[in-house]
Amino acid sequence: VRQFGVTGVEGSDNDHFYGPIGVWVEPGQGGHLYVAEERNHRVQVLTKEGAHVRTIGVSGEHGADNRHFHYPYDVCVTPGPDGRIYVAEYFNNRVQAFTKEGVYERTFGGLNRAIGVCAEPGPGGHVYAAASGSQEVKVFTKSGVNVRTLGIAGVRGVGNNQFDSPFCVRVEPGPDGHIYIADCGNQRVQVLNKEGAHVRTIGVTGQ
């Protein structure tokens, strides 16, 4: 249908990517495409047709203040004009939240190698952040309060509710929805309920 970027050519202008690693697509004709670029330390926002809308972060320049990223690995966007953009930063050990216009709003910290993020819609929804360095997924309120930890912090394991380098997390909306966690080192996806109880495992652990 179409291509975004130039095949085999890295760059830091609006027509190129350098290390695109995370992507999120808003539903609907007017929705945008969000691309996290680890090597350009930015998130590019594009139309569905590929036109540049805005850049969040400073292209090609990493940093630890609220204007910069340091290896943004994943991006998640909650729906609607009042939705938020959540960006997981690997080397800054945090998730940053922005308005749809790219204005900084909040930091979710205490994450050892933040690598994946997903947020539920609505003010009562939670933000889920995968921390591969500490083998856990932290659950926050939208105001940044850590209300639950999935996994055992700092402990690799092969049991249910244990992880070995959790990488990506995705969440079904609603109280009965499930949490899906890509457990990279264990070669599986674990499925948990919203209270953190194990539901099922997809794949064969360790194989």
Side-chain angles (χ1 to χ4, degrees):
V1 176
R2 68 176 52 88
Q3 173 179 296
F4 301 88
V6 181
T7 301
V9 181
E10 64 196 42
S12 58
D13 59 73
N14 295 336
D15 296 322
H16 292 80
F17 299 118
Y18 188 16
I21 195 168
V23 64
W24 188 273
V25 182
E26 290 178 307
Q29 186 174 3
H32 289 139
L33 173 73
Y34 299 77
V35 183
E37 298 178 69
E38 59 170 352
R39 297 299 182 90
N40 269 332
H41 308 291
R42 68 183 181 184
V43 172
Q44 286 211 67
V45 185
L46 310 170
T47 67
K48 296 280 181 71
E49 291 72 39
H52 180 263
V53 176
R54 70 177 51 89
T55 296
I56 305 173
V58 181
S59 296
E61 181 180 301
H62 65 76
D65 58 44
N66 298 330
R67 294 179 56 250
H68 291 81
F69 299 121
H70 196 178
Y71 272 59
Y73 257 72
D74 197 17
V75 58
C76 170
V77 183
T78 52
D82 296 327
R84 295 294 182 265
I85 304 164
Y86 297 87
V87 183
E89 295 181 72
Y90 190 77
F91 283 122
N92 276 334
N93 303 305
R94 67 186 181 183
V95 167
Q96 290 202 71
F98 300 85
T99 67
K100 288 289 184 69
E101 290 71 39
V103 178
Y104 167 80
E105 186 173 78
R106 180 173 291 110
T107 294
F108 302 80
L111 299 164
N112 187 346
R113 300 298 185 242
I115 200 167
V117 64
C118 191
E120 295 172 306
H126 290 115
V127 178
Y128 298 76
S132 64
S134 52
Q135 321 307 326
E136 63 187 341
V137 173
K138 287 191 173 185
V139 186
F140 298 89
T141 65
K142 293 286 180 69
S143 60
V145 178
N146 182 201
V147 294
R148 183 178 295 116
T149 296
L150 310 176
I152 302 173
V155 178
R156 297 178 189 271
V158 298
N160 297 336
N161 295 316
Q162 291 184 306
F163 304 111
D164 183 355
S165 299
F167 195 92
C168 181
V169 57
R170 292 294 181 257
V171 183
E172 292 177 309
D176 297 325
H178 288 144
I179 306 164
Y180 296 81
I181 301 169
D183 192 3
C184 185
N186 281 326
Q187 318 302 329
R188 65 186 181 184
V189 172
Q190 288 202 64
V191 185
L192 311 178
N193 65 23
K194 290 293 178 69
E195 287 70 46
H198 180 264
V199 176
R200 72 178 63 90
T201 294
I202 302 171
V204 181
T205 300
Q207 298 183 26

